[in-house]
């Protein structure tokens, strides 16, 4: 193998091992300093690792990604799924609904954890599935939280399937409506008798005022339970759960994570509403 290829592999593995082996999320500067690596080089390789799912970016910090977690349970405690699991369990207990945790992938959203009550055993949990934005609420919530120019990769699966982008029933209108209302709602699009509502968790980035979606929480259940006051109640529970998870993630990346158990002002939760998407 050429030396340059070996060097590139070594850099990637060094970065993965540093992120996975840390007892807390690390900033880019910390990672580069620990490895004696140029900051720009570390950033470039980390971008590829984030894209491939080996590392998760949370604001200005980096955590083990889902690819690592499939190989090593030791990284789970300091992972997104480890932090989110109690929130998922509480939300499922409060609502009686299935709860999915999803993260952005290259052009879709991946379901990385699920809590499903016994009464909903007939509904597929979609664990490890990649979900397109035009069919599911979770990716709709995540993509709507992106800046418009960053949404392009997620629109391509819809275009490939001939789903309309423009017009009152198009995907762009769904994204705008979702961004405006804070919730993505789907009724019967992927499965006729199943509905879902999703809300994204975002964090403040290094650029002033910028935010990026980290994950989405989605409630899934019988379509008859997602109308009127029922939907309003579910949205209230979901909003509170997103705030709890956002607070836990903010605490995880704070200088002294054990000192506080409350969300900080630097966290922003967002998400979105529409009559499309699911899971």
């Amino acid at each position: 193998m050429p030396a340059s290829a070996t060097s590139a592999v070594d850099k990637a593995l060094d970065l993965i091992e540093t992120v996975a082996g840390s007892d807390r999320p690390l900033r880019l500067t910390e990672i580069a300093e620990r490895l004696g690596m140029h900051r720009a080089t570390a950033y470039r390789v980390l971008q590829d690792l984030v894209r491939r799912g080996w590392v998760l970016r949370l604001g200005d910090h980096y955590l083990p990604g889902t690819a690592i977690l499939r190989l090593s349970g030791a990284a789970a405690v300091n992972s997104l799924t480890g932090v989110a699991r109690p929130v998922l369990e509480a939300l499922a207990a409060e609502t009686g609904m299935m709860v999915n945790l999803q993260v952005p992938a290259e052009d879709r959203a991946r379901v990385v954890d699920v809590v499903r009550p016994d009464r909903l055993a007939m509904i597929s949990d979609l664990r490890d599935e990649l979900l397109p934005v035009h069919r599911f609420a979770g990716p709709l919530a995540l993509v709507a939280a992106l800046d418009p120019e960053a949404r392009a990769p997620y629109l391509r699966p819809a275009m490939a399937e001939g789903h309309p982008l423009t017009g009152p029933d198009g995907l762009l209108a769904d994204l705008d409506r979702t961004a405006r209302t804070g919730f993505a709602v789907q009724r019967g699009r992927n499965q006729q008798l199943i509905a879902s509502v999703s809300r994204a968790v975002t964090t403040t980035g290094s650029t002033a005022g910028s935010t990026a979606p980290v994950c989405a929480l989605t409630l899934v259940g019988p379509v008859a339970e997602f109308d009127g006051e029922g939907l309003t109640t579910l949205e209230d529970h979901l909003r509170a759960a997103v705030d709890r998870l956002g607070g836990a993630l903010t605490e995880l990346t704070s200088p002294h994570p054990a000192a506080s158990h409350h969300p900080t002002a630097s966290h922003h939760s967002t998400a979105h509403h529409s009559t499309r998407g699911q899971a």
Side-chain angles (χ1 to χ4, degrees):
M1 180 180 294
S4 59
T6 303
S7 177
V9 171
D10 284 342
K11 288 184 176 68
L13 292 175
D14 285 345
L15 287 165
I16 290 171
E17 290 173 354
T18 299
V19 172
S22 177
D23 60 356
R24 61 180 177 82
L26 299 173
R27 295 178 183 271
L28 171 63
T29 301
E30 294 176 297
I31 296 171
E33 288 178 350
R34 289 190 181 192
L35 294 174
M37 187 181 296
H38 194 281
R39 191 175 184 274
T41 301
Y43 177 78
R44 184 176 65 252
V45 179
L46 281 168
Q47 290 296 97
D48 289 335
L49 293 174
V50 169
R51 179 175 56 83
R52 294 290 297 270
W54 288 96
V55 173
L56 174 73
R57 183 172 181 175
L58 177 61
D60 297 331
H61 295 75
Y62 294 87
L63 287 74
T66 55
I68 292 177
L69 303 182
R70 293 192 196 102
L71 301 177
S72 172
V77 173
N78 197 36
S79 72
L80 174 63
T81 53
V83 175
R85 185 67 184 191
V87 177
L88 268 65
E89 292 175 346
L91 183 57
E94 293 165 3
T95 62
M97 298 293 175
M98 181 166 69
V99 184
N100 290 339
L101 175 68
Q102 299 177 39
V103 297
E106 286 190 53
D107 60 0
R108 292 171 171 81
R110 183 183 296 277
V111 179
V112 295
D113 200 9
V114 181
V115 175
R116 181 174 55 187
D118 291 341
R119 78 179 186 107
L120 301 180
M122 79 295 294
I123 302 178
S124 173
D125 66 15
L126 301 178
R127 187 187 298 270
D128 292 327
E129 294 288 330
L130 289 168
L131 310 181
V133 65
H134 61 292
R135 292 176 56 196
F136 295 89
L140 184 61
L142 290 167
V143 176
L146 293 169
D147 292 332
E149 59 270 20
R151 298 174 180 174
Y154 299 92
L155 305 183
R156 292 174 191 144
M159 296 170 64
E161 292 188 16
H163 186 86
L165 295 185
T166 58
D169 297 322
L171 180 55
L172 297 180
D174 285 344
L175 288 168
D176 289 344
R177 185 161 46 247
T178 298
R180 184 173 65 254
T181 63
F183 293 96
V185 178
Q186 187 282 332
R187 294 181 180 87
R189 182 164 186 83
N190 193 60
Q191 297 183 47
Q192 186 174 4
L193 300 178
I194 305 302
S196 55
V197 56
S198 186
R199 186 170 178 86
V201 178
T202 67
T203 59
T204 302
S206 55
T207 303
S210 67
T211 61
V214 175
C215 59
L217 295 181
T218 306
L219 291 169
V220 183
V223 68
E225 300 178 32
F226 281 72
D227 287 321
E229 292 184 5
L231 178 59
T232 299
T233 299
L234 292 175
E235 289 178 343
D236 288 344
H237 283 292
L238 183 57
R239 181 187 292 106
V242 165
D243 288 345
R244 289 198 303 273
L245 179 54
L249 293 173
T250 297
E251 180 181 324
L252 187 66
T253 56
S254 66
H256 305 288
S260 172
H261 297 282
H262 300 285
T264 68
S266 64
H267 166 262
H268 301 275
S269 65
T270 178
H272 319 290
H273 173 284
S274 169
T275 55
R276 302 190 183 277
Q278 174 177 324

